[in-house]
Amino acid sequence: MGSEPLRPPRGTRDFYPEDMRRRSWLFDRFRAVSRGFAFEEVDAPIVEHAELFIRKAGEEIIDQLYHFTLHERELALRGEITPSIARMVIARAGGLKLPLRWFCIGQNWRYERMTRGRTREHYQWNAEILGEPDVTAEAELIAALCALWDALGLPRDAVALRVNSRALLEETLRGGVLRDRPDAFAPLCVVVDKLDKIGAEAVLDQLTDPTGLVALPREDARWVVETLSVKSLDEAAAAAPADSPALASLRRLFELLDAYGIGDRAVFDASVVRGLAYYTGIVFEGFDTRGALRAVCGGGRYDRLIESLGGPAMPAVGFGMGDVVIGELLADHGLLPEPPRGVDDVVVALDEPQRAEAIRVASALRAAGRSVELTLGRARLKRVFAHADRIGATRIVLIGEDEAARGVARIRDLASGEERDEKIR
Amino acid sequence: MGSEPLRPPRGTRDFYPEDMRRRSWLFDRFRAVSRGFAFEEVDAPIVEHAELFIRKAGEEIIDQLYHFTLHERELALRGEITPSIARMVIARAGGLKLPLRWFCIGQNWRYERMTRGRTREHYQWNAEILGEPDVTAEAELIAALCALWDALGLPRDAVALRVNSRALLEETLRGGVLRDRPDAFAPLCVVVDKLDKIGAEAVLDQLTDPTGLVALPREDARWVVETLSVKSLDEAAAAAPADSPALASLRRLFELLDAYGIGDRAVFDASVVRGLAYYTGIVFEGFDTRGALRAVCGGGRYDRLIESLGGPAMPAVGFGMGDVVIGELLADHGLLPEPPRGVDDVVVALDEPQRAEAIRVASALRAAGRSVELTLGRARLKRVFAHADRIGATRIVLIGEDEAARGVARIRDLASGEERDEKIR
């Protein structure tokens, strides 16, 4: 076999014990916050029918699908969980009590050109509220995001939220350059989402590309980019219809965030549209305030996705946050934890005749809920002590000839160095 | 979109909240037992280079690989975790302190013809001890399996273990029909593993197939099948060399299992060889004592796999147990749990002006570690009560105009029906 198969496929990660402890630490926090907000965990297959993901708006997520054919079926590794969640809701639409509060911690895949530090898979914490049209749902999700950052120990100003409304943008654009082009709105959002990444000129080129899905005249495209540069809600309000429901909804969201005590963590930003075609209302993203405004999560309202997949009309809102970017953020702040291995006892038989007694002692300690490493094979005491010390065990439990004869184990506390004999049954 | 993409791909499972609670219940037990035995959790990508899995012994697991080509790379969804574990060990062979005690809870895929109740994916609990040649490693793993069955609440006689040694079988066969055919042993094991499933005649046909990897004369094949029918260790010993290390190892294993207090749960059975080509020593499988001896887990020693993949010589032993068969077993015994949803409080604002206060109360309860469902949108009190009852919430926390004015919440205990006012901050 060549050497390539001995590495994980490019852009994928092995999780050695120390990586896995960190991942479990993070997932435990995802789950604790989800529990606090009474979200129920769900999961869906990592492989789906490719058609589930296909939308025609030029999204990166579709271009980067891990798409393959197997026994004449078009399949794909999921690039995002939301279509699977939508599929699950549709399959039981009649029997589910709304609103649903679902979360998922799952792996998503995207096949993209590799740059340093990018991965082709990441684990994402997703939370969705399905069946609730009110903006209280958005507020609840944003509060959950803030609770997670707090649970990770991040400083309060390390991550902030930018909030916008596609509905407001759509109202504005349809009062202007998109008057006769309702279909162009979703692909337009996909393009303008790249503003931070590729710059205004490249966005203008894509918006005006005559072979593209938007194909605006240059001056219209320029007006779109200007509209996106608005950074205050009042300024945006001036351009919107006076009785705009989208504007009222945004204002209410900021009031709700104040009630959650997180109003200071969110700002309005008209340039935030998110890159997924299906968002229809409020959209938001968390960004790293030190790291060149790197996005650390994103979400929004997608009131038409479920219907577009053949389900009932069902308002929905959700977010996703990936483990790789969180890991980078924590590392930048020196907050990446090194969770201990958590072994309580190293149990060792000094010689072969005490093996059976050591097994009985280990079994009794395990039955009492302790984490016990039983020394296997031939034990060299010096190595056992060095090992117990290295893994941070609490105690060494020794059974020698003398101890076995007396029906006890010799227990050494590794922090204090104290030793005592104890009957363990 | 057609209706097919609205179902999960054939043989895969969606996990709705109640399914997921059950899965988490099971995984929690996998993790608790693993912790008791001081195993460290690891994980590897679900997609690997296909070459990692390719062996030439006619194993089902290879025939059933989810194998695909993407951007000119031959990839596969993993059919089993052991080759990935071996790869990870090889990559850090110099830096790892042996023996390693690793476990993994991961999804494995196999593409096979669908029969009722079969799935194309399952989650498997794997535990491996790497770098330990002594049979104490096998005993430790078998004890972990028994601890898991106990943790699941299964009756002590619901699952039993059949134990054999491929090394013993190999000694016996190489003293006989395989004298000049050492290469035929691994594929022979793959064939005879099917004995229970396809019967002796079909096994004889495969062992004698002149185009197969074994291609024995009929009388030799018949002798192999007879050798496998031995059910006592003494009988097997009579056919083995007097100083057989494989026999000594097996005898010692049964002594060790006695020390663990699980000697009554394991029997010798010469027909157990397991279907994976790489096993070299002791092999074992757990079987459902009521369900037509259905295998519920399997494992064994694979001392040459790591070296065969290009790594150092490293003895290793491991097992795998899948979630689907455990679920069936628990269901047969009426032991499938229905873990509660675990919501502590349903918090509800009686009217819109109390919304902000309800949010503050919910946030305070969450900060105190409670699981809180905040009622979103417009609350109809009758529906909220019915809902709280249905999900098994502990309390309803009401904030009406009067409560908000007095800075309290009205708390109704749903078990006792008692109500009281409380300041929540």
Side-chain angles (χ1 to χ4, degrees), chain A residues 271-419:
Chain A
S271 74
V272 171
V273 295
R274 303 299 302 155
L276 293 166
Y278 51 65
Y279 287 129
T280 54
I282 283 170
V283 283
F284 48 89
E285 62 187 27
F287 63 98
D288 172 3
T289 52
R290 305 204 305 198
L293 305 188
R294 174 177 52 179
V296 299
C297 65
R301 182 166 281 283
Y302 52 97
D303 283 350
R304 289 192 290 269
L305 177 65
I306 291 168
E307 197 171 3
S308 77
L309 290 173
M314 189 183 295
V317 53
F319 68 70
M321 175 157 57
D323 72 332
V324 174
V325 70
I326 293 177
E328 291 167 359
L329 186 63
L330 289 169
D332 288 351
H333 285 271
L335 290 170
L336 260 192
E338 298 201 19
R341 189 158 153 190
V343 171
D344 296 315
D345 298 324
V346 173
V347 173
V348 55
L350 280 191
D351 225 327
E352 213 42 48
Q354 292 93 50
R355 172 82 60 191
E357 183 58 17
I359 286 173
R360 279 188 284 270
V361 165
S363 300
L365 293 169
R366 285 166 178 164
R370 298 181 69 84
S371 174
V372 177
E373 188 179 300
L374 174 63
T375 303
L376 305 172
R378 188 157 303 267
R380 273 180 289 168
L381 206 53
K382 202 172 153 186
R383 280 190 56 181
V384 172
F385 271 75
H387 169 73
D389 207 49
R390 195 174 50 80
I391 67 170
T394 309
R395 316 188 303 180
I396 291 180
V397 179
L398 280 166
I399 296 109
E401 198 178 346
D402 173 57
E403 288 82 11
R406 291 188 294 128
V408 298
R410 186 144 194 89
I411 294 177
R412 183 187 176 88
D413 183 297
L414 286 168
S416 68
E418 280 169 28
E419 292 197 1

Side-chain angles (χ1 to χ4, degrees), chain B residues 128-338:
Chain B
E128 325 273 333
I129 296 178
L130 300 131
E132 179 54 66
D134 197 77
V135 70
T136 44
E138 278 90 332
E140 184 83 340
L141 288 174
I142 289 173
L145 281 169
C146 290
L148 190 270
W149 298 326
D150 293 344
L152 296 178
L154 285 165
R156 193 173 169 90
D157 61 356
V159 185
L161 282 146
R162 300 194 287 193
V163 180
N164 190 20
S165 164
R166 277 204 189 176
L168 181 63
L169 181 64
E170 192 170 8
E171 280 173 5
T172 306
L173 297 189
R174 290 180 71 173
V177 300
L178 292 193
R179 196 181 310 272
D180 306 311
R181 299 284 313 284
D183 55 301
F185 183 66
L188 179 143
C189 287
V190 170
V191 173
V192 300
D193 177 57
K194 302 176 205 161
L195 197 56
D196 276 357
K197 213 161 150 186
I198 64 176
E201 280 311 307
V203 163
L204 284 172
D205 288 347
Q206 291 191 19
L207 289 177
T208 54
D209 178 357
T211 67
L213 294 166
V214 188
L216 288 180
R218 194 99 190 162
E219 64 203 295
D220 289 1
R222 213 175 288 279
W223 182 76
V224 168
V225 172
E226 272 162 32
T227 302
L228 297 171
S229 70
V230 169
K231 302 281 176 200
S232 93
L233 197 46
D234 290 336
E235 210 184 325
D243 56 349
S244 159
L247 186 66
S249 187
L250 257 180
R251 289 202 192 277
R252 183 134 175 278
L253 175 60
F254 281 99
E255 286 166 19
L256 292 166
L257 297 183
D258 279 337
Y260 279 100
I262 53 175
D264 60 314
R265 299 167 88 161
V267 293
F268 172 79
D269 185 332
S271 74
V272 171
V273 294
R274 303 300 300 157
L276 293 166
Y278 51 65
Y279 288 130
T280 54
I282 283 169
V283 284
F284 48 90
E285 62 186 27
F287 63 97
D288 174 1
T289 52
R290 304 203 308 195
L293 305 187
R294 175 178 52 180
V296 299
C297 66
R301 181 167 282 281
Y302 52 96
D303 283 351
R304 290 193 288 272
L305 177 66
I306 291 168
E307 197 171 3
S308 77
L309 290 173
M314 190 182 294
V317 54
F319 69 69
M321 174 156 59
D323 72 331
V324 174
V325 71
I326 293 177
E328 291 167 0
L329 186 64
L330 288 169
D332 288 350
H333 285 271
L335 291 169
L336 261 190
E338 297 201 19

Side-chain angles (χ1 to χ4, degrees), chain B residues 31-90:
Chain B
R31 292 203 166 91
V33 171
S34 300
R35 182 185 167 279
F37 282 76
F39 284 92
E40 298 187 276
E41 190 165 0
V42 298
D43 199 9
I46 187 89
V47 175
E48 292 272 10
H49 295 288
E51 199 183 341
L52 183 66
F53 299 105
I54 305 303
R55 293 180 296 270
K56 293 172 184 65
E59 292 161 294
E60 272 201 337
I61 208 158
I62 306 304
D63 295 341
Q64 297 174 348
L65 211 55
Y66 263 85
H67 184 166
F68 57 94
T69 304
L70 191 76
H71 297 272
E72 291 164 31
R73 302 239 181 247
E74 299 281 314
L75 301 173
L77 295 182
R78 72 166 172 241
E80 50 159 350
I81 190 75
T82 309
S84 302
I85 299 276
R87 180 178 63 57
M88 288 173 66
V89 167
I90 293 169

Side-chain angles (χ1 to χ4, degrees), chain A residues 16 35 88 140 366 371, chain B residues 16 35 88 140 366 371:
Chain A
Y16 284 88
R35 184 188 165 277
M88 286 172 68
E140 184 85 338
R366 285 166 178 164
S371 174
Chain B
Y16 285 87
R35 182 185 167 279
M88 288 173 66
E140 184 83 340
R366 285 168 177 162
S371 174

Side-chain angles (χ1 to χ4, degrees), chain A residues 1-2 4-10 12-21 23-24 31 35-38 40-49 51-52 65-71 73 75 77 87-92 96-99 101-102 107 109 111 123 129 132 134 136-137 140 143 252 256 258-260 308-310 341-344 352 355-356 359-360 363 366 369-378 383 387 390, chain B residues 1-2 4-10 12-21 23-24 31 35-38 40-49 51-52 65-71 73 75 77 87-92 96-99 101-102 107 109 111 123 129 132 134 136-137 140 143 252 256 258-260 308-310 341-344 352 355-356 359-360 363 366 369-378 383 387 390:
Chain A
M1 175 150 62
E4 189 175 47
L6 290 178
R7 291 191 295 268
R10 196 143 188 239
T12 70
R13 294 170 294 165
D14 286 331
F15 289 87
Y16 284 88
E18 64 274 21
D19 309 315
M20 196 67 196
R21 281 197 287 275
R23 181 174 121 183
S24 298
R31 291 204 168 91
R35 184 188 165 277
F37 282 75
E40 298 187 276
E41 190 165 1
V42 297
D43 198 9
I46 187 86
V47 174
E48 290 271 13
H49 294 288
E51 197 183 342
L52 183 66
L65 210 55
Y66 263 85
H67 184 165
F68 57 94
T69 304
L70 189 76
H71 297 273
R73 302 242 181 246
L75 300 173
L77 294 182
R87 181 178 62 59
M88 286 172 68
V89 168
I90 293 169
R92 296 209 180 161
L96 297 166
K97 296 272 184 193
L98 304 179
R101 307 162 71 100
W102 282 4
Q107 204 175 19
W109 292 78
Y111 193 89
Y123 284 88
I129 295 177
E132 178 54 67
D134 195 79
T136 44
E140 184 85 338
R252 181 130 178 281
L256 291 167
D258 280 336
Y260 280 99
S308 77
L309 290 173
R341 189 158 153 190
V343 171
D344 296 315
E352 213 42 48
R355 172 82 60 191
I359 286 173
R360 279 188 284 270
S363 300
R366 285 166 178 164
R370 298 181 69 84
S371 174
V372 177
E373 188 179 300
L374 174 63
T375 303
L376 305 172
R378 188 157 303 267
R383 280 190 56 181
H387 169 73
R390 195 174 50 80
Chain B
M1 176 149 68
E4 189 176 46
L6 291 177
R7 289 190 296 267
R10 198 145 186 235
T12 71
R13 293 170 295 166
D14 286 331
F15 289 87
Y16 285 87
E18 62 276 20
D19 309 314
M20 197 68 196
R21 281 197 288 275
R23 180 173 122 185
S24 299
R31 292 203 166 91
R35 182 185 167 279
F37 282 76
E40 298 187 276
E41 190 165 0
V42 298
D43 199 9
I46 187 89
V47 175
E48 292 272 10
H49 295 288
E51 199 183 341
L52 183 66
L65 211 55
Y66 263 85
H67 184 166
F68 57 94
T69 304
L70 191 76
H71 297 272
R73 302 239 181 247
L75 301 173
L77 295 182
R87 180 178 63 57
M88 288 173 66
V89 167
I90 293 169
R92 296 207 181 161
L96 297 167
K97 297 271 186 196
L98 305 179
R101 306 164 71 100
W102 282 3
Q107 204 174 21
W109 292 77
Y111 193 89
Y123 284 87
I129 296 178
E132 179 54 66
D134 197 77
T136 44
E140 184 83 340
R252 183 134 175 278
L256 292 166
D258 279 337
Y260 279 100
S308 77
L309 290 173
R341 190 161 152 186
V343 171
D344 296 316
E352 213 41 49
R355 171 84 59 191
I359 287 174
R360 280 188 283 271
S363 301
R366 285 168 177 162
R370 297 182 69 84
S371 174
V372 177
E373 187 178 300
L374 175 63
T375 302
L376 306 172
R378 188 156 303 266
R383 279 190 55 181
H387 169 74
R390 197 174 49 80

